[in-house]
Amino acid sequence: MGRHGHENMGLITKAPRGTLDKLPGEASKCRAIENNALEIAAVYGYKEIRTPVFEHTALFKRGVGDTTDIVQKEMYTFDDKKGRSLTLKPEGTASTARAAIENGLFNEALPLKLCYVTNCYRYEAPQSGRYREFSQFGAEVYGADTPLCDAELIALAYDLFTELGIPDNAYTIEINSIGCPECRVKYQDSLRRYYSEFEDKLCRDCMERLERNPMRLIDCKNPSCGEFKENAPLILDYNCDKCAEFFNGFKSGLDLLSIPYTVNSKIVRGLDYYTNTVFEFVLKSNGLVFGAGGRYNGLIEELGGNAAPASGFALGIERLVAVIGEGAGFPLPKKPDIYIAALGEKAAAFALKLTRDLRCACIWAECDIVGRSVKAQMRFADKIGARFSMVIGENELETGKAVLKDMATKDSREVGLVLEQILGGIYQ
Ligand code: ATP
Ligand code: MG
């Protein structure tokens, strides 16, 4: 094969379908969301955890659930060179639980609170807000089985949204209780009874759901199945007394923290180990769900750990970027504090050294590294929006003084070519 082989050159400059390049503007928005999320989570007592990009496929089959769309259709699964079946993480909960079990984190003081920012991979039909590679911020709390624990989780998300400038009238926190396994047996029965009437009109997926996990019928996004959802039985009507009490406690907790919510009994997370609380964050303007979570008291035991209650949520970072949109909530892009132009080789070397010293003092300083003329350097300083500029030539090197110029106001002042004086000029 020649230098370029026979591969399709067109593919080389095209990112794979469903992936998203986060160019500097976009990347800094994601960074702002992630930083805010991790900072707020820290004061709520969450510690960050990082887990591998891929895991044994079995973890997700068990931890996400065999009957979910994720496991049935969306996983990036491959065999490694030793024939092990591995899967790129489609979400963060299963890996976090696996790592906590494997590393004995449940032996430490409970509740254990862990949070993460992670890339996720799902083979889905790409569309706006739906990618094959995306990222999530997630928070998981283990060892607490109280309604207040769930209210506290919602408060974390709510405070983050507020910090990001998303007003609480722009979205709804939709909550529901899917009860305990006993409530669900009765509910699933009534769903089966209700849906069997329409069995031949359901989509193929739903026919299978009816058989294997009727609760997921409520989750179907197929418009043709939508009309049957309307009159379907509601899980809230099937909550036992204990679960109803838990749900009331959860609502009281939200009231206590002045967090607005809407009860929506059509929210289900159709997995056996989910219990009681489920919720979604929904943008009012277009129905975009930008985060979701709930209690999953059955998962840790399902994965082979000692039974431990757990609750958590995940937010889609790309969807949060879309929710926040332009402007509000994001810090303005940063600009350099100072550009130090240089005339001649000696001055260029001096400028580089000075630039470095300023950077060590946390000042964003720039100087010429492409060998431009002073005039071109100043044009560049303008283009990058440097706040101050300074030109250093033979004369400045000799006298040890230079003119610090405010690029916007054109104010100038002479400063000594020592760090303290330049810092003084910038900060004054
Ligand atoms: P959806 O109903 O939109 O498919 P989901 O129920 O599959 O969402 P979860 O598994 O609850 O989503 O994931 C939590 C969050 O992760 C979602 O609320 C969303 O913000 C984000 N998310 C999920 N899938 C994608 C994707 N393919 N692209 C971008 N973000 C996603
Ligand atoms: Mg999905």
Side-chain angles (χ1 to χ4, degrees), residues 74 122 124 130 221:
E74 299 173 357
R122 297 185 193 178
E124 302 200 66
R130 196 174 292 289
K221 292 187 183 84

Side-chain angles (χ1 to χ4, degrees), residues 289-303:
V289 179
F290 55 95
R295 175 161 286 283
Y296 50 96
N297 286 353
L299 178 69
I300 304 301
E301 196 174 19
E302 182 76 21
L303 295 181

